[in-house]
Amino acid sequence: MTRNHPHPHARATESPSRRVVLGTTALAALALAAGAGPASAAARPSAARPGAAQPDRVRPSGAWPTEFPLPDGFLPEGITIGGRPYAYMGSRANGAILRTDLRTGEGTVVHPGEAGTAAVGVKLDEDGLLYVAGGGGGTARVVDTRTGRLVATYRPTPATGHFVNDVILLGDRAWFTDSRDSVLYGIPRGRAAMTGHKADIRSLPLGGDWVQTPDVNNANGIVSAPGGRGLIVVSSQPGRLYHVDLKTGHATELALNGAADVSNGDGLLRLGRTLYVVQNRQNVISVFELDAGLRSATLRRTITDPRFDVPTTVARWGDRLYLVNARFTTPQTPETTFNAVAVPL
């Protein structure tokens, strides 16, 4: 891994030859549609329940893998890690959810998805519910990772012209970005709130400094601001960071020190006042320090790695960052190989 490199030109290495078996009917249908053979027998969802937020003292063993394969044709984009060492990743191919044990690199399908759906950004709650951004389908879905069951589907947008991209949990709601519209969507959080009714959706139009550029992805990654003071959202093009007031939707652009922009900004991760911004096609994580007033962000360093191949989102476990390689610059077919990688925090 290379650090403090402001202009990385990393080239991905070959994906590992070991394969994770996807035994879902939806991915089998995807493979058959493209002329590939059928998938093998279905994997059973795990009953393991995520625990509370991980303590800082937890550290991965040096023997844990720093790279593990995903199923061929999986089309990953989102990754989230809860209170136990399991990463949950979503498929753009059919909305399937894969759970991987970080200690071994072994993966299991916990939700099979279905044709015509997608799982883009994902976020795991302490109660085992996984909140899933549905991409171009305009949905926000909730999956019970303990049973693999889809428990709610919200439709905050029309079916076309929108892209529900990423999600964060704050207070009593899960907040979703729409890359093609200047609005955030909040759906109820928790098992008691699982109705899927449109009336339960809160739409928060973005104002203030927010600039909506037509025909490109705008709002993308999203995290809570320090102290629960609203949200921080990255606009992928032209690459800006905003602090959003949850009461009014007023967006204040953060002045960037040490960087001209965060173009192709995708997944965000915040630890205290340190903000990690994944810039996907640049194959880099830019690490910023937020000022106390949430008016500026100062670039402190960058992280890159020769294994990066258009990483999109990032999650933390212990002293590592885990990222999925979406490989957007590679043909996306049922035979395309994918992986996830870990780098030191």
Side-chain angles (χ1 to χ4, degrees):
M1 182 195 73
T2 303
R3 290 177 182 261
N4 301 317
H5 191 313
H7 300 290
H9 297 284
R11 185 169 181 265
T13 58
E14 287 292 323
S15 297
S17 57
R18 183 166 56 92
R19 296 288 178 265
V20 178
V21 176
L22 257 190
T24 70
T25 56
L27 279 188
L30 173 69
L32 289 171
S40 60
R44 289 188 294 272
S46 168
R49 182 180 186 274
Q54 56 180 284
D56 286 345
R57 67 179 180 271
V58 176
R59 294 290 182 262
S61 163
W64 291 14
T66 60
E67 181 175 1
F68 45 85
L70 306 182
D72 291 353
F74 191 69
L75 309 187
E77 186 162 348
I79 182 171
T80 184
I81 300 171
R84 301 180 68 184
Y86 297 97
Y88 292 82
M89 293 156 283
S91 168
R92 288 178 288 112
N94 69 342
I97 302 297
L98 179 75
R99 188 189 73 179
T100 293
D101 189 328
L102 301 179
R103 298 164 296 186
T104 65
E106 296 298 320
T108 303
V109 174
V110 295
H111 175 67
E114 61 179 300
T117 64
V120 189
V122 292
K123 200 66 67 196
L124 183 67
D125 209 343
E126 294 178 357
D127 58 4
L129 293 180
L130 186 74
Y131 296 80
V132 182
T139 61
R141 293 181 296 135
V142 186
V143 171
D144 188 338
T145 59
R146 299 181 301 182
T147 65
R149 187 171 65 91
L150 177 67
V151 296
T153 298
Y154 294 84
R155 299 188 179 276
T157 78
T160 60
H162 295 264
F163 195 91
V164 180
N165 203 331
D166 209 349
V167 56
I168 191 65
L169 309 178
L170 181 62
D172 62 354
R173 289 187 180 267
W175 289 96
F176 293 79
T177 57
D178 186 341
S179 293
R180 296 299 173 123
D181 200 358
S182 55
V183 61
L184 303 179
Y185 308 108
I187 70 167
R189 179 180 171 189
R191 294 180 180 274
M194 291 296 100
T195 66
H197 294 163
K198 188 173 181 61
D200 298 325
I201 301 170
R202 180 185 172 194
S203 294
L204 184 69
L206 297 174
D209 297 337
W210 185 266
V211 175
Q212 185 74 16
T213 305
D215 303 321
V216 298
N217 279 346
N218 290 258
N220 196 331
I222 183 171
V223 292
S224 62
R229 292 177 291 164
L231 300 166
I232 295 173
V233 177
V234 63
S235 179
S236 297
Q237 299 299 334
R240 296 169 176 161
L241 291 170
Y242 295 90
H243 175 219
V244 178
D245 187 311
L246 268 179
K247 293 181 180 179
T248 65
H250 186 280
T252 302
E253 183 178 354
L254 300 183
L256 300 182
N257 301 318
D261 57 47
V262 284
S263 60
N264 294 313
D266 202 326
L268 300 181
L269 172 69
R270 183 186 60 78
L271 302 176
R273 281 167 45 190
T274 300
L275 181 68
Y276 297 81
V277 182
V278 181
Q279 294 178 255
N280 53 38
R281 292 177 187 263
Q282 278 89 324
N283 287 318
V284 67
I285 306 169
S286 293
V287 185
F288 290 89
E289 181 182 353
L290 301 170
D291 78 308
L294 296 179
R295 293 284 179 175
S296 67
T298 300
L299 182 66
R300 294 305 186 193
R301 61 191 174 99
T302 61
I303 303 171
T304 188
D305 189 284
R307 298 168 301 162
F308 286 177
D309 193 352
V310 195
T312 46
T313 52
V314 58
R316 173 213 179 190
W317 177 264
D319 57 1
R320 289 179 178 177
L321 301 175
Y322 287 84
L323 304 97
V324 290
N325 281 318
R327 308 194 70 192
F328 289 148
T329 57
T330 300
Q332 310 272 283
T333 73
E335 291 77 34
T336 302
T337 58
F338 293 96
N339 68 349
V341 298
V343 295
L345 184 65

